[in-house]
Amino acid sequence: MSQFYTSTDHFVLVPAIMLALFGCAILLFDFFLFPEPRQRKWLLAFLVLGLVFTGVGLWRQHRFLAESGLPQITAFQGTLTVDGFALFFNWVFLAVSLVIGLMSYRYLEIEGEHHGEYYGLILLAQCGMYFLATGTDLITLFIGLELMALCFYIMVGFLRTQKRSNEAAMKYLLLGAFSSGLLVYGFSILYGISGSTKLSEISLAVANRDTWDPLVVLALITTSVGLLFKVSAAPFHMWAPDAYEGAPTTVTAFLASGSKAASFAFLVRMFAGPFESTRAVWEPLLIAVAILTLTIGNLAAITQENVKRLLAYSSISHAGYILLGLIAGNETGLKGVAVYILVYVFMTMGAFVVVTALRRAHLIGENIDDLAGLIHRSPGYAIVMLVCLLSLAGIPPTAGFLGKYYIFLSLVQTGHYLLAVIAVLYVAVAVYYYFRIVRAMFVAEAGPSVALASSFGVRVAAALTATLTLGIGIYPEPFLQLAQLPVMR
Amino acid sequence: MLEPITPVHFLLLSAALLLVGTIGVLTRRNIVVILMSIELILNAVNLNLVAFSRYFGEPSGQVFAIFVITMAAAETAVALGILIALFRNRQTVFADEIDLLKW
């Protein structure tokens, strides 16, 4: 008879407990302790404190795995598994939440919707992400996904007096709920195949069946449609540009980095786990999806005038590159996925930090024209934007090059030459639309100068993301070791 | 003689529910009706889970169904909250009239 709540269970659950505890504490403190608007900085402090405690829990797990040499810690009878994969993604989520928290404070004040709930929602969303990366059971994964998604629906609609934000939230919610429904339908079929909700047992049951078994194919198709919706891969990307444009810019950054990374953790867990034995079925499907995603993301980005919308299409195209790593599927490919996600979250957040700083009272500051002459007005932010854009385009010595290098290498190693050629061609297209922004910043005539909405938090966030984007590219060794974690099984 | 009811029957019924729900999501204009269609999809899932759970004599499927019902309730609450905020600003519940952002 197994114990109900062992010390191992607790050890695995500590980071999630901290996130949920501090998330709920912020909701309460906002109401009872700090009702005054100028006291909100304490809520931000609590967010950082919660992240510190979470980090301590993660660090202890990390040390334990490194010192014991065990491949994984399982808890709750195999419901949660802390392995290198989970640890890697949880470190990424931690960094993302920290940067998002820092950049949000000033922006929300300017938007006039500065409520304490926002910081609670960040932590609760990260709690959902924790279960997405750590869960190895269908129920846990589903709850984690929905916890994250519900927090995001609310945050996208956070500017409730603005029509654009309402619309974005409504569209995101309808398509998100629909895709969750399809996903969980796939889960119910998987349960029917195996009689268990544990991924390990489902893997065995699926491997024992015929590859083209109709039930397996049905489960695979519904599950992957749901997952591809979440990572905004074409043809299921329609929600992304609208949600990204209408959402508060800080939430857009969170959506593009945290939500996407967590969804990819989920996707890789499913495809490298239960569906690994049906690779013959999903590989051609994913290849088609990846090519379509690269095409739509890159070509649609060319004509965009709104920077947030442009970055939305760019984030769609990056999802295509990450899928390519999964298609290659060898060790380099999976490491490439990890490196790419690590690099991607920082460069995307960096670009959004600058867009956030452009939002001032009476000035929306989202169009490419609003960036005109930024180098003269605010050289620091212009440099940050330049570094992030170079990295997004994949130009050395920035970190973006490193991510693309591993993906292309894995494609060549596994003999997907045509895919590699197509992927490289789209880099050239990407350089064009990223350089439209660079040209606006450096060449275009500066408009009437209005000071940027800078603050200590925004500056720290900008410095952190730009340093990491450049740092990972110049001195990649420690980060490559971190990205080695998910590959070690 | 009537045939006994097997999991296949439940699977067919839930597939039909899924189909009706999907068509509803894709063709309806009224957001409230779209939300109802999503509920149909989730109920197809619940039917599957409970039927399989009974077939295997294993309880985790029923537990899963309870979680799905809970999540459906939470999702609907958030959806209606956002819909009310939207209606206050736009005076419409029709998906095709929500066109400020390029759909």
Side-chain angles (χ1 to χ4, degrees), chain A residues 138-139 142-143 146-147 150 153-154 160-164 166-171 173-178 180-182 184-185 187-189 191-197 215 222 238 242-243 245-246 304 309, chain B residues 11 14-15 18 21-22 25-26 31 34-35 38 41-42 44-45 48-49 52-53 55-56 58-64 67-68 71 74-75 78-79 82-83 85-86 89-90 95 97-103:
Chain A
L138 295 185
I139 303 179
F142 174 63
I143 297 294
E146 288 297 293
L147 177 55
L150 282 177
Y153 300 149
I154 301 170
R160 64 205 156 120
T161 53
Q162 290 187 14
K163 290 174 185 172
R164 281 203 314 168
N166 296 152
E167 262 192 46
M170 201 71 242
K171 287 176 180 174
L173 187 142
L174 288 178
L175 289 176
F178 177 52
S180 296
L182 290 181
V184 76
Y185 187 84
F187 279 6
S188 75
I189 302 286
Y191 174 67
I193 290 171
S194 62
S196 165
T197 53
L215 271 188
T222 44
M238 310 80 80
D242 290 342
E245 187 186 339
Q304 301 305 322
R309 216 173 165 85
Chain B
L11 209 57
S14 89
L18 176 76
T22 309
V25 171
L26 297 179
I31 289 174
I34 297 179
L35 286 173
I38 292 171
I41 296 177
L42 292 174
V45 173
N48 256 350
L49 288 171
F52 285 132
S53 170
Y55 174 70
F56 290 118
E58 201 253 6
S60 62
Q62 296 184 28
V63 176
F64 200 164
F67 275 116
V68 172
M71 287 317 304
E75 216 160 49
V78 173
I82 293 172
L83 186 59
L86 182 73
N89 288 334
R90 298 291 304 270
E97 286 170 22
I98 306 173
D99 51 4
L100 217 57
L101 301 160
K102 284 167 272 177
W103 178 233

Side-chain angles (χ1 to χ4, degrees), chain A residues 15 28 58 110 150-151 158-159 185 243 254 304 311 417 430:
Chain A
L28 286 177
L58 284 179
I110 292 171
L150 282 177
C151 292
F158 210 72
L159 310 176
Y185 187 84
F254 200 19
Q304 301 305 322
L311 287 172
Y417 297 111

